[in-house]
Amino acid sequence: MDTTFRDGFQSVFGGRVLMEDFLPAVEAAREAGITHFEFGGGARFQSLFFYLRENAFEMMDRFREKAGPEANLQTLARGINTVMLDTGSRELIDLHAKLFKKHSTTTIRNFDALNDVDNLAFSAECIHNHGLRHEVVITIMDLPPGCTGAHDADFYEKVLRKILDSGLPFDSLCFKDASGTSNPNKVYETISRARKLLPEHTHIRLHTHETAGVSVACYLAALEAGVDGIDLAVAPVSGGTSQPDILTLLHAVKGGEFDLGGLELEKVLRYEEVLNDCLSDYFIPPEATQVSPLIPFSPMPGGALTSNTQMMRDNGILDKYPLVIRAMREVVEKGGYGTSVTPVSQFYWQQAFNNVMFGPWKKIAPGYGRMVLGYFGKTPVAPDPEIVKIAAEQLKLEPTTENPLDIADRDEKKSIAYWKDVLEKEGIEATEENIFIAASCQEKGIAFLKGESPLMVRKKSMEEAETAAASAKAQPAAAPSAPAPAASAGGVYTVVVDGEKFRVEVVEGEGEPSVKSVESVESVPQAPKSEPKATPVGHEKVDHNMVEVKAQIPGTVLKVLKNPGERIEEDEVIMIIEAMKMEIEIPSPKAGVLVKVDVNQGDTVQEGQVLAHVQ
């Protein structure tokens, strides 16, 4: 299967590749004889709405047009999470299968990051009932040194036996290693056992990444063990954090008995040329092209790795990346050994990020905390009891063994009726597609449907333009005897005068720039004015009762919950910042009056920036 257009894009660009930029390469792949594609789902569902202003359902239909009616088009689903990061209700899981069938999907590869077979049963039924092929998954990886109790051949055999005993319908089986950390000997043993357990002619696949540098060895071991299919990509989105290249494996199996689908070398070369041309303007992060010897210690999937480093770039904290990767080891060791694949990989990353930014275990990431408390199902081994205790205290939740689907079904915000009502209030047509977009993408889905979502694509031309603009701003002012023309003086600006905010349009002209129009926007909340007090010479006047509330990490202001003038208690939440796909609550450090809110919803804030004043 060619993973270029889903996992390849996710593993190199964090999923941020525009439809019109890559569709010509799909035609080239078809001409090269490729008929099986991973083309959507996983993180390539939400990322289109979050960053690309594109509708994933439209992209899937356009892909079908290019790939042809007979192509096997495959998507990735996360069991009870489908293409979301949280558990879906039963009706949303069923709607996912219905819509993906409607929008060109042939096969859904379906996994649970905890390898909890109970989490696969209902989604398997929905996929089967809607006429799709179901590829059931056992997620695999290697544990950090010294960890035992899961992720060996015995563990995977036990999971496979549970799948067979459950009776859930499936058409093929995939062993999926999102971090690329499994070793070749374990892969051989695992697939050899599966071959003996499964009915004859059952299709078995292996999926892995090159992140740890052993993917080709693992694929060769799998082929020797009797695997029927492997997943590959093409340059420039092959190798590194992605799958190995089709050309690499064609070379690796030369002279052997294995056939990768009758592909012709020259046609594959032509396909790669077309894709390279399509993506020539895209910025390829250096970490996406590297093999990392640290990944087996801190298993981070290729697709999540680049998505997270892109977010760190956006927030100006990429320097923290090595520290977060290093911190992941302890997080995995104490978290119950869920496989490092979305959403668990994101939970691992977020907790490691919090441990670096706030101090070890000082702030439990909501997803990680709910995982160790049992809200996503049963982890392969019991999480560290001390971490469970900390999570329960911080999240104010008790551990549970209840079925996550029953919990989700009770949540009004996971019902079709709830999101239909939200869409109607927003004046948006409540189609099944729009309901699923809103339910799976929340506020960002609504923003997309209203035409208000951002475009966040990293291209070289954009980087060069930004660099040029920054350089121009950094140039010293010209001497009075040789004035430079005000080439960039015109534009729309926001200014603050006596606490009142105005939007000002400045128009360029022969002489001085002039104000064309002034429109009052809103008042900026200010502290109550008081009489000035005498200040000793050489000392700064300080109000010792006023406390600045600062951002501990960079992010975007998602919601402002309190208004200036309101009385607030100590630890009462003033606002919520979104950072690394987490909602970070900003509490008041003391009881008092919220004198001033220094930021607005949607503002990007930096670490240490003042967000509010409390007196």
Side-chain angles (χ1 to χ4, degrees):
M1 179 169 70
D2 185 349
T3 59
T4 297
F5 303 99
R6 209 293 301 173
D7 209 346
F9 285 174
Q10 182 63 33
S11 298
V12 175
F13 302 115
R16 305 186 198 184
V17 182
L18 295 164
M19 183 181 0
E20 297 300 334
D21 289 341
F22 74 78
L23 284 176
V26 178
E27 291 183 285
R30 179 182 179 181
E31 291 169 5
I34 297 170
T35 59
H36 188 183
F37 298 90
E38 188 180 41
F39 83 127
R44 269 287 291 178
F45 183 81
Q46 287 182 323
S47 64
L48 271 68
F49 302 104
F50 287 4
Y51 307 118
L52 303 182
R53 296 178 182 165
E54 290 185 350
N55 190 316
F57 294 122
E58 179 188 350
M59 182 279 291
M60 292 158 67
D61 289 336
R62 294 283 305 281
F63 198 108
R64 170 62 74 185
E65 292 172 6
K66 300 295 183 182
E70 302 304 318
N72 181 359
L73 300 187
Q74 186 163 316
T75 61
L76 186 66
R78 308 170 186 133
I80 57 177
N81 295 73
T82 62
V83 289
M84 301 176 277
L85 291 177
D86 196 5
T87 305
S89 62
R90 287 179 172 87
E91 60 183 13
L92 286 177
I93 293 170
D94 185 70
L95 183 58
H96 161 261
K98 178 181 180 180
L99 290 175
F100 276 58
K101 170 64 176 179
K102 177 181 176 181
H103 291 283
S104 306
T105 304
T106 310
T107 303
I108 292 183
R109 173 179 285 175
N110 188 35
F111 71 88
D112 179 66
L114 301 180
N115 280 312
D116 186 339
V117 176
D118 291 339
N119 284 350
L120 292 171
F122 182 74
S123 56
E125 292 173 9
C126 295
I127 292 166
H128 178 75
N129 291 342
H130 285 286
L132 291 149
R133 295 183 62 200
H134 178 220
E135 184 164 279
V136 70
V137 176
I138 296 174
T139 57
I140 67 176
M141 70 177 187
D142 267 18
L143 291 171
C147 296
T148 59
H151 291 290
D152 54 21
D154 289 341
F155 173 73
Y156 300 137
E157 180 180 337
K158 183 171 67 174
V159 175
L160 178 54
R161 288 183 182 276
K162 285 183 179 179
I163 290 172
L164 295 173
D165 291 343
S166 74
L168 65 82
F170 68 93
D171 300 280
S172 56
L173 168 70
C174 176
F175 290 96
K176 178 178 173 65
D177 186 347
S179 59
T181 54
S182 295
N183 66 80
N185 289 328
K186 183 178 75 175
V187 167
Y188 180 86
E189 179 67 20
T190 297
I191 291 175
S192 296
R193 294 190 192 186
R195 186 82 282 164
K196 294 174 184 176
L197 280 174
L198 290 166
E200 192 177 1
H201 305 305
T202 302
H203 188 94
I204 304 175
R205 303 192 68 83
L206 175 66
H207 170 97
T208 191
H209 289 242
E210 180 60 9
T211 321
V214 293
S215 66
V216 174
C218 285
Y219 275 148
L220 293 176
L223 290 168
E224 292 291 344
V227 83
D228 299 294
I230 56 178
D231 293 355
L232 304 170
V234 296
V237 294
S238 58
T241 51
S242 182
Q243 282 71 61
D245 199 283
I246 291 174
L247 295 173
T248 301
L249 261 292
L250 283 171
H251 183 69
V253 299
K254 275 181 184 176
E257 58 183 329
F258 305 112
D259 176 17
L260 299 187
L263 299 177
E264 296 181 31
L265 184 62
E266 294 300 326
K267 289 184 177 179
V268 176
L269 280 168
R270 173 58 185 157
Y271 162 32
E272 294 211 355
E273 289 172 2
V274 172
L275 184 66
N276 270 278
D277 183 61
C278 288
L279 302 178
S280 61
D281 193 31
Y282 278 78
F283 167 73
I284 297 180
E287 63 273 12
T289 65
Q290 298 170 356
V291 167
S292 171
L294 293 178
I295 290 299
F297 298 88
S298 300
M300 169 51 60
L305 191 154
T306 53
S307 178
N308 287 320
T309 55
Q310 290 286 54
M311 285 188 282
M312 294 183 97
R313 275 191 180 85
D314 291 342
N315 289 300
I317 51 170
L318 188 59
D319 61 302
K320 298 290 196 302
Y321 166 69
L323 298 175
V324 177
I325 280 290
R326 197 171 298 124
M328 263 194 66
R329 177 174 177 172
E330 182 186 19
V331 170
V332 173
E333 290 172 347
K334 295 187 175 183
Y337 300 168
T339 316
S340 191
V341 61
T342 307
V344 169
S345 58
Q346 195 64 22
F347 301 159
Y348 286 154
W349 174 273
Q350 289 170 342
Q351 189 57 57
F353 180 81
N354 282 359
N355 285 357
V356 168
M357 302 300 289
F358 298 102
W361 310 107
K362 298 298 183 184
K363 189 172 185 62
I364 295 293
Y368 185 85
R370 292 177 64 214
M371 178 184 72
V372 300
L373 290 169
Y375 285 84
F376 295 110
K378 187 178 180 181
T379 55
V381 302
D384 184 279
E386 185 60 30
I387 301 305
V388 173
K389 180 182 176 183
I390 294 171
E393 290 172 352
Q394 289 193 22
L395 301 184
K396 297 178 175 58
L397 287 172
E398 290 299 317
T400 184
T401 58
E402 187 178 4
N403 186 333
L405 285 176
D406 293 337
I407 298 173
D409 281 348
R410 292 198 301 270
D411 188 341
E412 179 194 16
K413 292 184 178 180
K414 294 180 180 180
S415 69
I416 289 175
Y418 174 84
W419 288 105
K420 185 176 181 180
D421 184 56
V422 169
L423 292 176
E424 289 174 350
K425 288 178 179 177
E426 293 284 354
I428 300 169
E429 185 180 4
T431 64
E432 288 185 319
E433 285 83 354
N434 287 352
I435 289 170
F436 190 79
I437 290 167
S440 59
C441 299
Q442 307 281 312
E443 291 93 345
K444 292 181 179 179
I446 297 295
F448 167 80
L449 293 170
K450 293 171 68 175
E452 298 173 356
S453 57
L455 179 63
M456 300 179 69
V457 181
R458 285 188 173 270
K459 292 190 176 185
K460 297 172 189 175
S461 56
M462 294 178 179
E463 297 281 328
E464 290 168 0
E466 290 174 4
T467 301
S471 176
K473 287 182 180 180
Q475 294 300 317
S481 57
S488 59
V492 177
Y493 300 85
T494 300
V495 297
V496 178
V497 181
D498 290 335
E500 192 170 1
K501 190 181 292 185
F502 296 89
R503 185 165 287 117
V504 182
E505 184 177 355
V506 180
V507 181
E508 301 173 34
E510 292 293 327
E512 293 294 317
S514 61
V515 176
K516 181 179 179 182
S517 63
V518 180
E519 177 189 359
S520 177
V521 178
E522 60 184 27
S523 294
V524 179
Q526 286 194 305
K529 293 183 179 180
S530 58
E531 292 298 318
K533 295 181 180 179
T535 304
V537 176
H539 290 75
E540 183 181 357
K541 182 175 68 175
V542 177
D543 185 341
H544 294 287
N545 293 319
M546 185 82 73
V547 175
E548 293 180 337
V549 182
K550 296 182 179 180
Q552 291 180 276
I553 60 173
T556 302
V557 179
L558 186 65
K559 299 173 186 174
V560 178
L561 304 177
K562 299 295 179 180
N563 298 313
E566 285 190 51
R567 176 80 188 176
I568 54 176
E569 300 302 319
E570 184 176 354
D571 293 328
E572 190 170 359
V573 179
I574 298 172
M575 66 184 69
I576 297 174
I577 289 179
E578 183 184 52
M580 307 304 294
K581 295 184 180 178
M582 289 184 290
E583 294 187 5
I584 308 294
E585 295 182 341
I586 306 298
S588 175
K590 61 178 286 186
V593 175
L594 180 62
V595 174
K596 183 181 180 183
V597 176
D598 296 76
V599 293
N600 296 309
Q601 183 174 321
D603 286 356
T604 300
V605 298
Q606 302 303 317
E607 183 180 357
Q609 181 175 336
V610 176
L611 306 176
H613 288 78
V614 177
Q615 189 173 36

